[in-house]
Each structure stands twice: as structure tokens, then as C-alpha cells.
Amino acid sequence: MNLNNKKVIITGAARGIGYEIAREFLKAGAEVALCSTTEEGAKKAKENLLKEFPSSKVYAQKTDVSKETEVQNFVDNVLKEFGGIDILVNNAGITRDTLAIRMTEQDWDAVLNVNLKGTFLMSKAVLKIMMKAKSGSIVNMSSVVGQSGNAAQANYSASKAGIIGLTKSLAKEFASRNIRVNAVAPGFVKTDMTDKLSDQIKEQTLALIPLKRFATTTDIAKAVMFLSSDDGGYITGQVLAVNGGLYI
Ligand SMILES: NC(=O)c1ccc[n+]([C@@H]2O[C@H](COP(=O)([O-])OP(=O)(O)OC[C@H]3O[C@@H](n4cnc5c(N)ncnc54)[C@H](O)[C@@H]3O)[C@@H](O)[C@H]2O)c1
């Protein structure tokens, strides 16, 4: 896939799915700006990406996507560095899993703030730039549990279902400006987020997946690339499930 000189923002790209999306975009010739929760995470990700893709352009900044001033500062700096933003991937996300009856207000707020509000804030800041350019593509990271629901993930599932509503609304609002907005809904992907689940839960989940394997971060990155590139140029407001058949 050719994404030569496309300017891409990826949130939460210090590790896991976000980092792999950054690698795939750089491989395809894009320029990548990433943010993550810690200074060290952002710095290390940039260093490692430049080690692998030495002639590429990579910008990294510690940014909490749930804080509007930090988001605006990050987007302003990316614009200064790159001169434009063609693609936004809202990938940053967290979990605070527990049964609803034990879920605290803080557990609820933390997850909704990062996953849903963060996706809104970053989209809002970037959409202003894309509107002026009359072009752009946004891909939001939902989840299979935003479609199916999941016990002990009321906050997370609600945030990921909310992302689907947000995606469809923004798609309708910005289609006339030639800006497309889609979502990817991964199933179970092997990352730090899922490594903390018990072996029992992992085995139970695997038994429910028709393709009989967990997703790799590359499986998810390829779907994000397709939707955000011109290959997906007539697709907007859609949710692409990448879940091995876990939810059909
Ligand atoms: N791993 C899975 O099985 C799976 C399944 C479905 C959806 N997802 C979604 O994919 C995305 C990436 O998941 P992952 O498994 O790579 O997670 P991960 O925990 O490995 O990485 C998450 C990244 O988000 C960043 N982040 C967290 N809070 C942030 C904040 N407030 N501001 C900026 N960055 C922040 C972290 O620094 C980290 O780089 C998430 O949105 C997650 O919900 C993951």
C-alpha cells in the first residue's frame, strides 16, 4: 500500500496495536506523529521506530488524550512539524475491568474519559485542519465488546459502543468536506492489555473464536491502513470487525 508522505497521527502508539500501526504506516512511506501517556514511552517509541526506519519522519510527544489543552498542544506541534494532517488513528485506550456492582465512579470515568472523550477531543482538534484541507480520514479503535457487550467490562464496552456512535455521527457530519470516518473493532489481540487476563479467560475466549487464533497486532494495523488509505476511499461510517469470527 502506498501512503507516501501522508501525514498521520496515531494516539497511544508507545506499544501494542498503536506501535504496530505506526510501523506499518512508516513501511508504506508515511510520516508518523505519535503520542502516549509517558515522556519515556513516547521517546522510546520514536527511537525504536527511527532505528527501523532511519530515513522516515517521526514526531512523538507525551499527551493525555483526555485533556483538551494537551490534545490541542500536540496537534498544534504536529501541524508545525508536518505542515498538515491527512490521517488520524484514535487508538489510545485503557481498561478497568470489574463487575458492574463493584465498579467505582472513578473506574467508569477513567475509561470513558480516555477511550470515548479522548477520541472526541482528538478528532475535534484534527477535523478543524482536515476541514480547511477539504480532505482527511479518521479511524477510531472500537472493540468486539462494543458490539457484543461483555461481563465485567460495562465501562469499556460502553466506551467502545460510544465510539461507534461517534464514528457514524462524524461520518455524516463531515462527508460533505471529503472527510471519511470509520472504526475498526478488533477481537482478542495479543498485547499488554490482554496479557494481564488469566489463562482460563484466554482459553475460554480462544474456544469461541472460529478462526482458532488470537489476532496479531499486524492483523489490526492492516485493517486500519486499508480504511484510512485511498483504497478505502468510498467507505465511511463503517465498523470493520477484525475478530476471527468471534462476533458475527
Ligand atoms: N488488545 C486487544 O485485545 C484489543 C481488543 C479490542 C480493542 N483494543 C483497543 O485497541 C487499542 C490499543 O490496545 P492495546 O491492546 O495495544 O493496548 P496497550 O495497553 O498495549 O496500549 C495502549 C496505549 O495507549 C496509551 N494510552 C493509554 N491512555 C492514554 C491516554 N490517556 N492518552 C494517550 N495515550 C494513552 C498507552 O500509553 C499505550 O501506548 C485500545 O483502544 C484498545 O481498547 C484492544
Side-chain angles (χ1 to χ4, degrees):
M1 196 173 292
N2 185 351
L3 286 157
N4 253 345
N5 302 322
K6 290 284 182 196
K7 295 147 188 13
V8 186
I9 286 183
I10 306 161
T11 67
R15 61 177 198 222
I17 296 170
Y19 185 82
E20 183 61 16
I21 295 170
R23 288 188 65 248
E24 288 293 333
F25 270 110
L26 289 169
K27 226 189 267 179
E31 299 172 10
V32 166
L34 64 94
C35 70
S36 95
T37 30
T38 64
E39 196 78 61
E40 204 199 335
K43 202 174 139 215
K44 225 186 199 143
K46 179 178 170 175
E47 272 171 22
N48 288 336
L49 288 168
L50 284 175
K51 229 179 260 168
E52 193 177 352
F53 305 97
S55 53
S56 297
K57 204 160 175 184
V58 179
Y59 178 78
Q61 183 177 323
K62 170 194 176 302
T63 308
D64 182 344
V65 295
S66 67
K67 307 245 164 62
E68 189 161 30
T69 48
E70 290 191 29
V71 167
Q72 194 58 56
N73 178 267
F74 172 64
V75 171
D76 289 346
N77 289 340
V78 175
L79 192 59
K80 260 183 240 151
E81 286 286 321
F82 288 4
I85 299 165
D86 301 302
I87 294 166
L88 165 64
V89 183
N90 280 306
N91 167 78
I94 59 167
T95 50
R96 294 276 187 283
D97 297 351
T98 189
L99 296 172
I101 212 109
R102 294 203 193 117
M103 193 173 282
T104 63
E105 188 179 355
Q106 286 82 359
D107 292 331
W108 177 269
D109 286 347
V111 170
L112 270 290
N113 280 342
V114 175
N115 298 7
L116 184 55
K117 184 178 153 191
T119 299
F120 165 68
L121 291 176
M122 190 61 75
S123 299
K124 185 179 161 192
V126 170
L127 277 164
K128 288 177 194 159
I129 296 156
M130 291 180 169
M131 271 173 71
K132 277 188 199 146
K134 294 193 176 60
S135 142
S137 175
I138 298 179
V139 178
N140 297 324
M141 202 57 75
S142 181
S143 165
V144 63
V145 301
Q147 301 175 302
S148 65
N150 199 24
Q153 286 197 309
N155 50 359
Y156 183 75
S157 304
S159 74
K160 294 298 184 181
I163 284 175
I164 294 175
L166 175 65
T167 299
K168 292 183 178 184
S169 301
L170 294 179
K172 287 188 173 178
E173 204 168 315
F174 291 92
S176 63
R177 315 284 181 135
N178 193 31
I179 299 167
R180 299 182 299 105
V181 188
N182 292 290
V184 168
F188 192 110
V189 192
K190 261 194 73 53
T191 67
D192 290 352
M193 183 178 271
T194 45
D195 276 350
K196 59 190 176 198
L197 298 172
S198 69
D199 286 346
Q200 195 196 355
I201 290 194
K202 285 181 196 162
E203 275 163 32
Q204 282 168 358
T205 311
L206 190 57
L208 296 172
I209 301 173
L211 285 183
K212 293 292 168 226
R213 68 170 178 88
F214 296 134
T216 63
T217 52
T218 314
D219 290 324
I220 310 306
K222 294 280 187 197
V224 170
M225 304 265 295
F226 167 66
L227 283 177
S228 53
S229 73
D230 290 343
D231 288 358
Y234 197 56
I235 302 173
T236 196
Q238 301 304 307
V239 183
L240 179 52
V242 188
N243 63 24
L246 176 59
Y247 179 79
I248 293 177

